Every structure is written in structure tokens, then in C-alpha cells.
């Protein structure tokens, strides 16, 4: 029987990128997804790649480092599938003029006159132009990333670890990587508390030429190769307590009949930025972003929290334990919580996780599973039995 080196559960941006990076290291890889390739949040994504402006801090430095890496990566991987024409950020409540001007990144200010010289369809807006921005076609990217990997469309409900090998249905693998997005994890990982943010995006046809991506509270893409453009996305926090995410948003009762209102919101907001002539909505996509409170995504080995706390109960009082002394599930890794920037983060995270798995290179603290575990352990709510 064929034993894979790595079996990845989830064929979204996270799973496909880690598959690609591990494959480059000559590993035998299988990827599994019950919905097909990019059947979850990844298929719904815009997928806009935009910088995060503002004064320099840990988070926007991470976002912009990831963006630079990923733009370069996609340009080499799929030179014909990436539209890198920059983005115009229009001031909004979250990003007002002051925030956009107090910026550690290079930008060019476009006043209304300049914009209307570029296209008469621009409304009475102004904004800040950043060169380093693009838009992608998510399904094509995910498929390309899986070149050379085996793909199986299956719903996995159980992981069994026996004699040093994982049994997943009829498949066998030495290592597992969980890349499940908002879906209920196959292992209980209480320190990674995923909270889903639902969203909807539309692809439209229009005779208006859009010179670059435009972003205010929603984004409008430049015209793509096939003449369509994307407008996205709405955001609706999914606060239903303990509701398990077992299906895609398309089939989820929580979201039934919300489409029309959400499409209208998107088109109205787009229309405040630029007039889209002869507009026709051609496809609607729905998905849920996986987020955690810290905003940073998380990657690394999966810690067995109960066993670790039993062995080192003083962790909860703040005792420092060397990371290698914690107890981990055997050969089990996670890449998740990519939030609203899954296509910006995934190649960068996959590179870091791959280097950690293969060469034991350190994962930055803010991205590590250990940081989330220690945080949960030291919070007052936990009791050790
Ligand atoms: C509307 C919308 C717009 C967005 N726009 C952008 C954007 O413009 N730019 C950007 O960078 N990001 C954007 N995002 C965010 C981005 O899509 C996500 O961050 C990213 O796709 C997450 O990738 P993932 O692989 O972690 O999750 P997913 O793509 O959700 O993949 C997880 C997969 O795991 C599978 N799975 C889970 N459990 C099992 C199981 N037990 N058995 C089999 N399969 C399983 C699921 O079917 C799913 O396909 C957007 C998201 C949404 C929803």
C-alpha cells in the first residue's frame, strides 16, 4: 500500500500552498477535501492582494512582508493569472486621510481631477495609490499549486494513528496537516478558537474599464483576462455559539435567502466609487473566513493541551517550559486562521511551516501554536483535572 509522506486535509489556499512547498522537497503528497479544490472560503475569495497601510507595527509589517513574498511567488507560478495593477485606497472610517498619510509605505495621492482624467466614470472621490497590489483567480491558483500531488474528494471524520502511520479512510500517511478553515477540527484544539466571518462576493460583466483595484469598505477589481471583474466582499460575523461548521455556506441554513440584500449592498457601495456601465452579475460566491482574536494566523505542531498541562500544571501560573518539552500529537500540524487575507498569507506561511517541518527552522512566536496554547493555559478559565 502507498504511504504518503504528508496528507493534507483541506484543499483551500492554506492546504494547496503547504502541499506545493512540501512537494518541492520531493515528498509524496495527498490532499483531501470534501468539497473539491477551493470549495470552501478560498473559492469565494476576491482574491485581492493588497497592502495594509498605516504606521509601522508588528501586524502590518507581517502583512506587508507576506504580500511582497506572495506577489513574487504568484508572478513566478502563474504569470498569466495575476493582474498586478495596484490599488487605490479611498479613505473610510477605519482608514481616514490621517492614517493613510501617516504611512510607512510609498504611495501616490490621486485627487478627484486626476482620477476623472484616468476614467470619466470615477465618482467624486480621492485616494491613495499603492503599486504593490493585485487580483487572482482563486480556483486556478489552487489547482496549479496541486500539480504533482494526489487529490481525493472525501469527507474525513476520523484520524487513526497506528504503528507510526495515520490511517485516513483507505489512505495512509506518515504526517497529517490540518488545513480545515472554519470547519470543525478533526482534533480538539481548544486554544485555536476559530470564529467564522461570512462573506459574499460577485463577479460581474461591465463595459467600464477599471484601471486598477479600488478599495474602500469593499473592493472592486481591475478587469481580468476574461473581461469580468470581482466585487467583494460583505462581512457578517457568525456568532452563533458553538455552531459547528460542517458544510459550505451555500448549503448552510444560517445564510439562506441573504444573497439578494448582500448583492445589493455590494453593488451600491461599488457605485459610490465608480459607475459600472451595462452591469451584469454573472456569479455569486459565498464563504466563511476563519479568524482568531489575535488576527495573526497560526501554524505549527499541534500541542496535546491536556497531556501538556497534566505534565506541567504550573504552566498556568506562568512557569516557562521549553517548547520542545510540551507534548505534541505525533506528526500532526496545523495551518489555519488566515482571516480575510488567505491568498496574501498562505504562500508565506506555507514556506515558514515547510522550513520548520523539514529543517526545524523556528516559527515566529506570533504565528506559533505554542503562543495560543500558553495564552489559553494562563487564562483564569482553565481547570486541570
Ligand atoms: C467572501 C470572501 C472574500 C474574501 N476575499 C479575500 C481577498 O480578497 N483576498 C484574500 O487574500 N483573502 C480573501 N478571503 C479570505 C480567504 O478566502 C481565506 O482566508 C482563505 O481562503 C482560507 O483558506 P483555507 O485553506 O484556510 O480555508 P478554506 O478555503 O475554507 O479551506 C478549507 C477546506 O477544508 C475542507 N475540509 C474541512 N474539514 C474537512 C474534512 N473533515 N474532510 C474533508 N475536507 C474538509 C473544506 O471543505 C474546505 O474546502 C475572502 C474570504 C471570503 C469568504
Amino acid at each position: 500500500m502507498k504511504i504518503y509522506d504528508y496528507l493534507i486535509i483541506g484543499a483551500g489556499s492554506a492546504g494547496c500552498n503547504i502541499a506545493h512547498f512540501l512537494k518541492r522537497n520531493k515528498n509524496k503528497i495527498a490532499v483531501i477535501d470534501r468539497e473539491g479544490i477551493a470549495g470552501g472560503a478560498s473559492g469565494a475569495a476576491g482574491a485581492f492582494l493588497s497592502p495594509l497601510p498605516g504606521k509601522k507595527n508588528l501586524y502590518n509589517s507581517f502583512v506587508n512582508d507576506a504580500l511582497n513574498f506572495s506577489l513574487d511567488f504568484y508572478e513566478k507560478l502563474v504569470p498569466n493569472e495575476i493582474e498586478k495593477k495596484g490599488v487605490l485606497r479611498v479613505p473610510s472610517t477605519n482608514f481616514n486621510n490621517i492614517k493613510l498619510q501617516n504611512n510607512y509605505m510609498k504611495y501616490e495621492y490621486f485627487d478627484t481631477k486626476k482620477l476623472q482624467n484616468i476614467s470619466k466614470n470615477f465618482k467624486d472621490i480621492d485616494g491613495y495609490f499603492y503599486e504593490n497590489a493585485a487580483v487572482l483567480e482563486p480556483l486556478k491558483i489552487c489547482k496549479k499549486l496541486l500539480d504533482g500531488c494526489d487529490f481525493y474528494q472525501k469527507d474525513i471524520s476520523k484520524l487513526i494513528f497506528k504503528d507510526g502511520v495515520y490511517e485516513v479512510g483507505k489512505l495512509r500517511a506518515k504526517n497529517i496537516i490540518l488545513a480545515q478553515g472554519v470547519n470543525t477540527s478533526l482534533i480538539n484544539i481548544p486554544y485555536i478558537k476559530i470564529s467564522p466571518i461570512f462573506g459574499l462576493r460577485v463577479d460581474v460583466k461591465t463595459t467600464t474599464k477599471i484601471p486598477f483595484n479600488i478599495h474602500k469598505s469593499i473592493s472592486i477589481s481591475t478587469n481580468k483576462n476574461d473581461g469580468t471583474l470581482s466585487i467583494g466582499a460583505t462581512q457578517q460575523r457568525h456568532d452563533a455559539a458553538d455552531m459547528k461548521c460542517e458544510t459550505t455556506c451555500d448549503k448552510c441554513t444560517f445564510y439562506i435567502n441573504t444573497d439578494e440584500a448582500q448583492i445589493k449592498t455590494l453593488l451600491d457601495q461599488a457605485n459610490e466609487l465608480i459607475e459600472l456601465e451595462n452591469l451584469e452579475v454573472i456569479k455569486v460566491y459565498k464563504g466563511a473566513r476563519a479568524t482568531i482574536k489575535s488576527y495573526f494566523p497560526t501554524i505549527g505542531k499541534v500541542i496535546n493541551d491536556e497531556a501538556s498541562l497534566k505534565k506541567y500544571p504550573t504552566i498556568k501560573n506562568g512557569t516557562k517550559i521549553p517548547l520542545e518539552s510540551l507534548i505534541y500529537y505525533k506528526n500532526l500540524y496545523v495551518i489555519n486562521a488566515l482571516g480575510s487575507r488567505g491568498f496574501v498569507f498562505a504562500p508565506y506561511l506555507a514556506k515558514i511551516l515547510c522550513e520548520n517541518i523539514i529543517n526545524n527552522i523556528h516559527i515566529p512566536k506570533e504565528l506559533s501554536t505554542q503562543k495560543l496554547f500558553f495564552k489559553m493555559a494562563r487564562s483564569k478559565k482553565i481547570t486541570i483535572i
Side-chain angles (χ1 to χ4, degrees):
M1 179 184 281
K2 184 171 181 179
I3 300 183
Y4 289 101
D5 295 312
Y6 294 89
L7 198 153
I8 296 154
I9 300 173
S13 174
C16 295
N17 271 287
I18 190 63
H20 175 86
F21 277 84
L22 288 166
K23 178 79 202 154
R24 279 184 177 180
N25 281 276
K26 311 229 177 313
N27 290 294
K28 277 187 247 139
I29 313 285
V31 180
I32 298 185
D33 200 301
R34 61 178 168 224
E35 302 294 341
I37 299 170
S42 299
F48 298 92
L49 309 179
S50 309
L52 184 58
K55 277 191 186 161
K56 193 168 181 157
N57 60 40
L58 192 62
Y59 185 68
N60 65 15
S61 302
F62 162 68
V63 172
N64 296 322
D65 288 350
L67 175 72
N68 290 337
F69 177 84
S70 300
L71 280 171
D72 189 48
F73 170 77
Y74 292 125
E75 281 184 303
K76 287 183 185 131
L77 181 80
V78 281
N80 300 325
E81 301 295 343
I82 175 163
E83 298 293 335
K84 189 179 168 220
K85 296 191 181 150
V87 62
L88 180 83
R89 282 205 67 136
V90 179
S92 64
T93 341
N94 277 346
F95 274 90
N96 57 20
N97 280 295
I98 298 168
K99 204 161 176 181
L100 286 164
Q101 282 158 6
N102 280 331
N103 205 324
Y104 84 100
M105 287 181 309
K106 225 178 89 194
Y107 65 81
E108 197 181 334
Y109 176 69
F110 286 6
D111 62 16
T112 311
K113 197 167 156 226
K114 178 156 185 172
L115 285 173
Q116 287 177 352
N117 281 339
I118 295 171
S119 163
K120 66 174 177 38
N121 288 41
F122 272 111
K123 296 289 174 72
D124 189 9
I125 57 167
D126 60 347
Y128 299 78
F129 180 76
Y130 300 86
E131 255 178 16
N132 234 8
V135 63
L136 303 170
E137 205 44 73
L139 178 61
K140 284 187 185 162
I141 301 290
C142 288
K143 282 188 171 163
K144 176 74 186 167
L145 287 165
L146 291 191
D147 274 358
C149 304
D150 290 343
F151 175 75
Y152 300 89
Q153 184 157 0
K154 282 182 195 304
D155 187 0
I156 303 303
S157 55
K158 206 160 55 178
L159 293 180
I160 299 169
F161 188 67
K162 208 167 124 193
D163 303 330
V165 173
Y166 278 97
E167 295 178 4
V168 181
K170 289 188 181 150
L171 303 175
R172 300 287 178 272
K174 295 179 197 157
N175 299 275
I176 298 283
I177 301 185
L178 302 173
Q180 294 182 257
V182 293
N183 302 89
T184 310
S185 175
L186 287 166
I187 297 280
N188 181 28
I189 317 180
Y191 48 93
I192 305 182
K193 282 210 173 78
I194 298 287
S195 96
I197 299 182
F198 169 75
L200 179 145
R201 136 205 169 211
V202 291
D203 278 1
V204 301
K205 265 189 187 160
T206 169
T207 48
T208 303
K209 296 277 166 267
I210 317 272
F212 32 69
N213 296 343
I214 310 166
H215 178 83
K216 194 177 175 188
S217 33
I218 54 118
S219 300
I220 307 172
S221 79
T222 182
N223 311 78
K224 301 188 202 173
N225 273 344
D226 62 1
T228 64
L229 54 93
S230 295
I231 304 178
T234 56
Q235 296 205 11
Q236 187 184 329
R237 201 166 265 285
H238 191 327
D239 278 332
D242 295 333
M243 183 170 165
K244 292 195 170 178
C245 218
E246 299 289 7
T247 177
T248 52
C249 301
D250 268 355
K251 301 169 201 154
C252 177
T253 47
F254 203 72
Y255 302 124
I256 279 184
N257 299 332
T258 65
D259 299 25
E260 270 182 33
Q262 300 212 33
I263 296 168
K264 185 174 179 318
T265 307
L266 284 179
L267 298 183
D268 287 351
Q269 290 187 51
N271 193 48
E272 286 169 19
L273 302 170
I274 192 160
E275 190 181 340
L276 300 171
E277 292 175 68
N278 304 310
L279 185 73
E280 186 191 339
V281 173
I282 50 171
K283 195 154 181 192
V284 178
Y285 300 83
K286 294 175 178 185
R289 310 154 178 94
T291 64
I292 51 178
K293 262 196 183 147
S294 72
Y295 290 108
F296 283 98
T298 191
I299 51 173
K301 287 186 193 169
V302 181
I303 301 154
N304 182 333
D305 56 298
E306 282 186 13
S308 297
L309 285 168
K310 208 165 203 167
K311 188 164 178 200
Y312 303 109
T314 56
I315 288 178
K316 73 178 169 79
N317 303 327
T319 304
K320 288 206 171 113
I321 302 291
L323 301 185
E324 61 279 9
S325 301
L326 293 173
I327 298 170
Y328 297 91
Y329 289 102
K330 274 264 184 242
N331 305 343
L332 184 68
Y333 303 86
V334 67
I335 173 166
N336 207 339
L338 276 61
S340 294
R341 293 179 182 265
F343 281 85
V344 178
F345 292 160
Y348 190 58
L349 294 174
K351 173 187 153 278
I352 298 173
L353 179 56
C354 181
E355 284 173 349
N356 173 263
I357 295 173
I358 309 273
N359 300 320
N360 205 17
I361 292 177
H362 170 78
I363 291 177
K365 186 176 162 199
E366 61 277 11
L367 302 175
S368 69
T369 50
Q370 290 95 353
K371 186 192 128 197
L372 298 175
F373 165 70
F374 284 123
K375 192 164 175 232
M376 178 199 76
R378 286 165 192 160
S379 77
K380 301 248 166 0
K381 287 173 202 144
I382 192 150
T383 45
I384 298 156
I385 303 155

